[in-house]
Amino acid sequence: MTDDLVLLDRAGATATITLNRPGALNALTPEMLDRLAARLDEAAADEAVRIVVLTGAGRAFCAGVDLKALGQLRIVDGAVGDVLDVPARAVITRLTSMPKLVLARIQGACFTGGLEIALGCDLLVAADEAKFGDTHAKFGLRPSWGMSQRLIRLVGVARARQLSYTAATFTGAQAAAWGMVTRSAPLTHLDSAVGDLVDSVLANSQGSLAAYKDLYAHALDGAGLADGLAYESATGYPIPDTEERVAGFR
């Protein structure tokens, strides 16, 4: 059933969204992307939810696009086409624009389209043993969900070129050392690392976090320093808990 392709569970202020095709290493289909977008909308609309954890069922986060889902559709000039591009971009737009933080929990394989989705999240926590890779070039494909823009910002020009040009795989521990993921931990301690980071985030003001997410997004959109500073000073945000939080210091 389509509903089973992406699961949503709530526990307190945390919503966990799980890509649920473990037999296919959570490879992406158009239906799965549509369902993921709907689950993100559900979490965004739930006032009790303050943070979203995105993960995959089984031993993979997401192995990328399920090319079998294209059927007989011809891939022209390395582009998978609108059948996947449109719903995938809709998912990443939700990840980057929803006011709640999204944390990617990456326990295993995270390749190509799956990596592009992970890079759209605010925080990434990976198992040391997790395997990453941008394999577009290996299969004669070209990126169209943001890889060329987001990877370079996280790991730098030289390393991004190396990773994309060689289609090399790398580990979660390497990704953390390069600054691509927020932190890594042994697989046996991954849930503890995720939980610790979630707790640290939830201890802070939801309004402040939403403001930061918007301000960082504006900066990453290519704003120069002067423009970014002007945007920061001119933009207001609803932060209703300020007085409560500073009361003890008055």
Side-chain angles (χ1 to χ4, degrees):
M1 292 178 60
T2 302
D3 282 358
D4 295 329
L5 291 174
V6 182
L7 307 176
L8 172 61
D9 297 297
R10 298 174 180 86
T14 304
T16 300
I17 296 177
T18 306
L19 306 176
N20 191 39
R21 294 185 70 212
L25 299 181
N26 302 314
L28 299 165
T29 66
E31 285 182 310
M32 192 174 179
L33 289 164
D34 286 340
R35 192 59 187 154
L36 176 54
R39 292 300 200 188
L40 288 167
D41 285 343
E42 287 181 61
D46 189 337
E47 293 184 0
V49 171
R50 295 184 55 207
I51 190 168
V52 177
V53 175
L54 177 62
T55 192
R59 58 193 179 92
F61 176 77
C62 176
V65 165
D66 187 345
L67 293 176
K68 294 178 182 178
L70 296 175
Q72 298 304 308
L73 185 66
R74 182 175 173 79
I75 301 175
V76 179
D77 294 331
V80 294
D82 286 352
V83 67
L84 282 161
D85 283 347
V86 170
R89 290 172 187 154
V91 163
I92 294 171
T93 295
R94 284 166 170 79
L95 292 172
T96 57
S97 64
M98 65 189 295
K100 297 170 185 182
L101 301 190
V102 184
L103 183 155
R105 173 194 175 276
I106 301 167
Q107 78 279 30
C110 181
F111 290 103
T112 318
L115 178 54
E116 286 178 293
I117 286 177
L119 294 180
C121 297
D122 300 287
L123 301 164
L124 288 76
V125 181
D128 289 338
E129 305 93 324
K131 297 294 185 183
F132 292 84
D134 173 15
T135 63
H136 283 101
K138 182 176 181 179
F139 298 105
L141 301 172
R142 47 78 45 87
S144 51
W145 304 355
M147 182 77 78
S148 67
Q149 302 305 303
R150 294 191 174 93
L151 185 62
I152 205 169
R153 284 167 165 78
L154 290 171
V155 303
V157 176
R159 195 176 303 279
R161 284 174 171 163
Q162 175 193 356
L163 295 174
S164 297
Y165 295 169
T166 64
T169 60
F170 52 97
T171 67
Q174 289 174 300
W178 299 336
M180 197 194 82
V181 306
T182 310
R183 67 174 61 169
S184 72
L187 180 59
T188 53
H189 296 108
L190 179 61
D191 287 333
S192 177
V194 169
D196 288 346
L197 187 53
V198 167
D199 288 345
S200 294
V201 168
L202 291 178
N204 295 310
S205 165
Q206 183 67 22
S208 292
L209 297 174
Y212 263 117
K213 179 164 181 170
D214 178 67
L215 291 165
Y216 282 144
H218 183 78
L220 290 170
D221 280 343
L225 178 60
D227 178 72
L229 291 172
Y231 183 84
E232 181 185 86
S233 64
T235 308
Y237 301 94
I239 306 179
D241 59 349
T242 307
E243 279 298 321
E244 176 186 344
R245 288 174 174 270
V246 303
F249 298 92
R250 289 190 182 276

